[in-house]
Amino acid sequence: MLPLQIWEASFSCPSWFSSGARNLIKRILDPSPLTRITIPEILQDEWFKKRYKPPKFEQDEDVNLDDNILYFTWL
């Protein structure tokens, strides 16, 4: 059984949190999956986008999927 605070998404933010941060946290902790913010919506949130830097993935040309298959067959 979930504690009542979790069920009701009862929480408090420190006073120094900005209103944008508070709003985003409130939407993330929304107990209703129908109204809870989605990942794409988080990525579009103005507060979140202020310092967000998308990850950069480097493609290593030396990697071959066949190498991974051989590795796992020896385990």
Side-chain angles (χ1 to χ4, degrees):
M1 185 170 182
L2 292 173
L4 189 56
Q5 285 181 316
I6 294 173
W7 184 262
E8 294 179 347
S10 176
F11 65 95
S12 61
C13 292
S15 59
W16 48 268
F17 274 29
S18 68
S19 61
R22 288 178 197 212
N23 185 45
L24 181 58
I25 292 169
K26 181 180 178 182
R27 294 185 66 203
I28 290 171
L29 296 177
D30 184 342
S32 171
L34 300 175
T35 56
R36 186 179 308 133
I37 193 169
T38 63
I39 298 296
E41 290 172 328
I42 291 171
L43 294 173
Q44 294 304 311
D45 181 84
E46 288 303 315
W47 183 87
F48 183 83
K49 291 191 320 185
K50 280 184 182 177
R51 294 189 180 169
Y52 175 71
K53 295 180 183 174
K56 294 181 181 178
F57 299 104
E58 295 180 20
Q59 187 174 5
D60 187 359
E61 294 180 18
D62 297 326
V63 174
N64 184 333
L65 289 178
D66 293 334
D67 295 338
N68 292 332
I69 293 169
L70 289 174
Y71 172 76
F72 286 112
T73 57
W74 287 101
L75 292 180

